[in-house]
Amino acid sequence: MKLLLLVFSVTLATLIGLVSQTSRVISPMADCRVMVDDIAGSYEGDCHKEKAHGYGKAIGKDTYEGEFKKGYPHGQGTYTWISGDYYEGTFVKGKKEGEGKMVYASVNADSVLTGYWEDDRFQQEEKSSSE
């Protein structure tokens, strides 16, 4: 009887330990935050220290899919506004930064602005290889 009780106790302790480890892995994903209000809502993707970090997709009023760092779009990604306009390119701490393409959706024809961005502002058109 003592042996049976010992085996049961060890098995129960092992199961409790596994459940505890699993909840530590799953819990941060459920609590993963996106730091930009317009895309905060639902998030699916990589997480670190309870913030979106790595590759993911965030959907709020607008949508962003791409790389995140510390909860912000950071690296390569595509940000799509509710209007249908979208930016595809590089982000730094949630702002357009570096090379990218902004597409303004229109019923008649889309307008495309391709070039370099700095601090969320368009700076210059992309240079062609012939220049």
Side-chain angles (χ1 to χ4, degrees):
M1 185 68 170
K2 287 182 181 181
L3 181 59
L4 184 60
L5 186 58
L6 179 63
V7 170
F8 176 75
S9 298
V10 170
T11 303
L12 184 61
T14 302
L15 287 174
I16 290 172
L18 288 174
V19 169
S20 175
Q21 287 177 349
T22 302
S23 65
R24 277 188 234 126
V25 172
I26 293 171
S27 178
M29 296 299 276
D31 297 333
C32 201
R33 294 183 310 190
V34 173
M35 306 306 289
V36 177
D37 290 340
D38 288 345
I39 57 172
S42 67
Y43 175 76
E44 182 179 317
D46 298 331
C47 198
H48 180 68
K49 295 186 179 180
E50 298 183 355
K51 292 183 181 170
H53 194 89
Y55 190 86
K57 183 174 185 177
I59 302 172
K61 180 180 82 173
D62 301 328
T63 302
Y64 173 78
E65 184 168 1
E67 297 172 299
F68 283 86
K69 184 176 179 182
K70 297 182 180 178
Y72 290 95
H74 192 93
Q76 291 295 311
T78 302
Y79 189 108
T80 305
W81 284 265
I82 195 169
S83 65
D85 297 347
Y86 68 92
Y87 172 80
E88 186 175 90
T90 308
F91 292 83
V92 173
K93 200 168 182 185
K95 296 181 179 183
K96 297 182 285 292
E97 185 82 30
E99 192 174 340
K101 174 175 75 172
M102 182 72 198
V103 178
Y104 298 96
S106 172
V107 175
N108 298 329
D110 291 348
S111 296
V112 180
L113 187 58
T114 302
Y116 297 91
W117 304 77
E118 189 176 302
D119 196 29
D120 228 22
R121 294 188 183 100
F122 183 71
Q123 296 299 310
Q124 68 182 31
E125 289 186 34
E126 187 174 57
K127 296 179 181 181
S128 68
S129 58
S130 63
E131 291 181 26

